[in-house]
Amino acid sequence: MSENGPVHQSTSPRPPQQPPGLPSLKGVIFASVVGSVLVLTAAVLFALLPGALSEAADFRAARPCPEEGGSVVENGDCLSEWPATVVSTGTGRSNKAVAHWVTVDLSPEEPSFRIRMRGDGPVWRELAPGDRVTVFAWRDLVWQLGSGELRQDTTRTPDREPAVRLALGLTLLVVGTVFLRGAGWLHRRRATRATDTPTAQVVVVMAATLVAAALAATAATVTDTVRLTLLLAAAGCTAVWSATVLLLRGLARRRTA
């Protein structure tokens, strides 16, 4: 063979290139994982709700304790008030959050105990050792502390956390469902090798998700029962998604016209 003869190079087959605009497999997997995590987190929050919601309902229905005797006082379901003396105040860390504490003494015969306040409210800022305060209790919970005309909730007030947990669970459920639905949509587009993704379609779906999540969270904070909350959230989400479908169909007809 001549020294300057042609050289034959071996060519290995190139992997097929993905058409521009085609959804990637990583995108499908990412949407599936995020959606699954959000839905599972919402399920855990819902599983922890029944007892907390029942306690919150009992707290809202409680009435002040009568001054003398009675079965309400005996079972501890009434709202009681106890005079106490401030021993000390302070701040600390609890679960990486700043905690504001007040240590009080009910009587010389009983040990002092600490109360964690909700934020650095007006009562906590004004207190000093030796001040007289009023402890507001329900069952075994100190839910509020009073100083003169001022009142401040503690972190153990059972009326707020369940509603916040329900609102968060509904929000995560709505957003997680959208992610799972989006994963299925991306998978179908990969299967059909569809590459056109109108920006307006993505924007409309994102806006609808925010509106549906906001409606679900609002329903959890303005109603007292789970059934009514779920009914309002379902009605709101149905209305939002129905309007979204109609809008997307209108955009698709305009695009193909």
Side-chain angles (χ1 to χ4, degrees):
M1 180 182 295
S2 172
E3 185 176 338
N4 296 324
V7 178
H8 298 281
Q9 296 180 348
S10 61
T11 58
S12 58
R14 294 181 178 179
Q17 293 184 349
Q18 177 175 297
L22 186 68
S24 65
L25 182 59
K26 290 182 179 180
V28 178
I29 295 175
F30 175 78
S32 300
V33 171
V34 172
S36 299
V37 170
L38 294 180
V39 171
L40 288 176
T41 304
V44 172
L45 290 175
F46 292 148
L48 299 175
L49 272 176
L53 288 173
S54 176
E55 184 180 59
D58 292 343
F59 175 74
R60 287 193 297 270
R63 296 293 179 264
C65 295
E67 294 183 1
E68 297 181 0
S71 60
V72 178
V73 177
E74 293 172 1
N75 60 31
D77 281 340
C78 61
L79 303 174
S80 59
E81 302 179 15
W82 303 94
T85 303
V86 175
V87 176
S88 64
T89 62
T91 58
R93 288 277 178 179
S94 179
N95 296 328
K96 298 182 179 180
V98 178
H100 301 84
W101 301 94
V102 177
T103 302
V104 299
D105 226 344
L106 290 178
S107 67
E109 295 78 17
E110 298 182 10
S112 304
F113 61 93
R114 291 203 308 173
I115 303 171
R116 183 178 176 183
M117 307 303 296
R118 191 182 297 275
D120 57 342
V123 172
W124 184 85
R125 288 197 300 266
E126 297 295 331
L127 291 182
D131 288 348
R132 297 292 291 174
V133 293
T134 302
V135 175
F136 296 89
W138 176 72
R139 293 182 179 174
D140 61 341
L141 304 176
V142 174
W143 65 277
Q144 198 173 63
L145 198 65
S147 176
E149 298 298 325
L150 300 177
R151 300 286 187 272
Q152 184 178 343
D153 288 349
T154 73
T155 57
R156 302 198 66 189
T157 304
D159 195 29
R160 296 183 178 182
E161 185 179 348
V164 173
R165 193 182 302 172
L166 180 58
L168 179 59
L170 288 173
T171 301
L172 294 178
L173 181 61
V174 171
V175 178
T177 302
V178 172
F179 266 95
L180 292 177
R181 181 69 178 85
W185 178 71
L186 292 174
H187 177 70
R188 286 193 299 273
R189 293 181 67 83
R190 279 182 57 83
T192 57
R193 304 188 72 78
T195 58
D196 56 328
T197 306
T199 303
Q201 184 174 357
V202 178
V203 173
V204 168
V205 172
M206 291 177 60
T209 302
L210 293 177
V211 173
L215 288 176
T218 302
T221 57
V222 299
T223 58
D224 291 334
T225 61
V226 178
R227 289 184 179 179
L228 183 57
T229 297
L230 296 180
L231 180 62
L232 292 176
C237 290
T238 300
V240 169
W241 293 122
S242 298
T244 302
V245 170
L246 294 176
L247 181 57
L248 291 177
R249 288 178 179 176
L251 292 175
R253 286 195 297 269
R254 181 180 300 179
R255 193 170 61 253
T256 56

